[in-house]
Amino acid sequence: MSGESRKRRHGSVSTEKESVLDPSDKGRLIVVEDKPFAAILPCVTDLRGVGADSELDKPPSLSDDIPRIQGSTDNSRKEATEHDEANIVGVKASSSTVLSGLSTSAVVRGEVADSSLPNTTSTTPHTLVQSNDCVRTVAETSPMPDLFAQDDDGDTFLHIAVVQGDQPLSQFFIERMKLKGVDIFNKLRQTPLHLAVITHQKYLVEKLVEGGADVNLMDRHGQTALHLACQNGDINSVFAIRDVTHRCHLQIRLDLKNFQGFSALHVATLRGNKQLVETILDMGAEINDQDSNSGRTALHHAVEAGKHHVAEYLISRGADVNKVTFAGNTPLHTASGRDMEPMVKLLIEHGANVNIANLEGDIPKVGQTSEQAKRHFRSKEKQTKRRKK
């Protein structure tokens, strides 16, 4: 993005700026805008990894990185894809450019004059020491900056520290913010907890929930932290949410549906991860809960998605094989209508009724190759009648 286009995006750039040398880096120029929190900027503007030929008016910022990675920019937010949150994982791979400032509301626009500065993308003892130094710098700042201030994208210092994967700094912000609440939405309607889950940071998920983060809050797609963890197949974040909510006696709403009408169990089922499904059920999810879109249960979704191992597991946990959708379809209607012979056999062997008609009067079209399964069902039906007599 050129300097002119950046100015058009953010409005006119203030002329009240002051250039100072960062004492911790020779040749590093810090341009301080006439805004709050100037004292802590050296902490939150680590620009290692940015080349010497960077454009002077294009500092790397959260507003440039996250929306781009998520498929959503300020100029094209309406074109955001349905699951763009999952793509924020890429931020971790380029995290050295993420925590450079709080977009245009940040205090700093910094440039690096020395291209030989190292590009560190992983947590090392060296970076951990720098992070602890940063915590001390922020802690000793007087007066303390407004940690609840948000940039043009709605991100706070905590949002950025979480995306950066900076555990000590994130913990510092959580401790200072938890009395007033850490649940602040950015303009993509993401809380720091959503970002911690999206970036697969089990430790920060635990710390945020312990610090008061509400696990039931939804992002702009209606996804809770648990939905996002299931969507990404992140069993560790699911474990973190489960363990902390249990330990802290917090209520987690397993019946909440996203804007597609799916609960966390439905999302885990569609992911095809048996361990996720097992964990969500053990947390107390209702196995026959219907989605709000069509009335399909987790078993319907497993059958439709061809997740045979998940369907088999759901049946073993007591899923109703004859549960009907809003249109009156059983899982057998779906399996037979798609010629899914192994699934048809599985369902009939576990009691699926071949004679249930949907609202259009159609019964499952069970093929001739399933005659053995049908005989097995009829035999079980006769045995049941005998018992009743």
Side-chain angles (χ1 to χ4, degrees), residues 55-105:
E55 298 176 31
L56 282 177
D57 53 2
K58 184 188 175 185
S61 68
L62 189 67
S63 62
D64 288 341
D65 245 353
I66 292 182
R68 174 178 58 76
I69 292 166
Q70 294 175 328
S72 172
T73 64
D74 285 342
N75 295 326
S76 60
R77 288 182 185 274
K78 292 182 181 179
E79 301 175 2
T81 57
E82 190 166 309
H83 302 299
D84 55 0
E85 289 89 347
N87 295 327
I88 199 174
V89 172
V91 172
K92 295 185 74 177
S94 58
S95 60
S96 60
T97 64
V98 176
L99 198 52
S100 59
L102 281 173
S103 186
T104 56
S105 292

Side-chain angles (χ1 to χ4, degrees), residues 19-31 47 50-52 56 109-117:
S19 297
V20 296
L21 282 177
D22 183 353
S24 63
D25 266 320
K26 289 186 178 180
R28 176 177 173 183
L29 180 65
I30 302 296
V31 183
L47 299 180
V50 182
L56 282 177
R109 296 180 62 207
E111 306 299 336
V112 176
D114 183 2
S115 62
S116 65
L117 290 173

Side-chain angles (χ1 to χ4, degrees), residues 289-310:
D289 187 25
Q290 295 175 282
D291 69 40
S292 56
N293 183 36
S294 62
R296 290 172 291 183
T297 65
L299 182 57
H300 283 91
H301 285 294
V303 170
E304 187 173 328
K307 309 295 184 183
H308 192 280
H309 63 296
V310 177

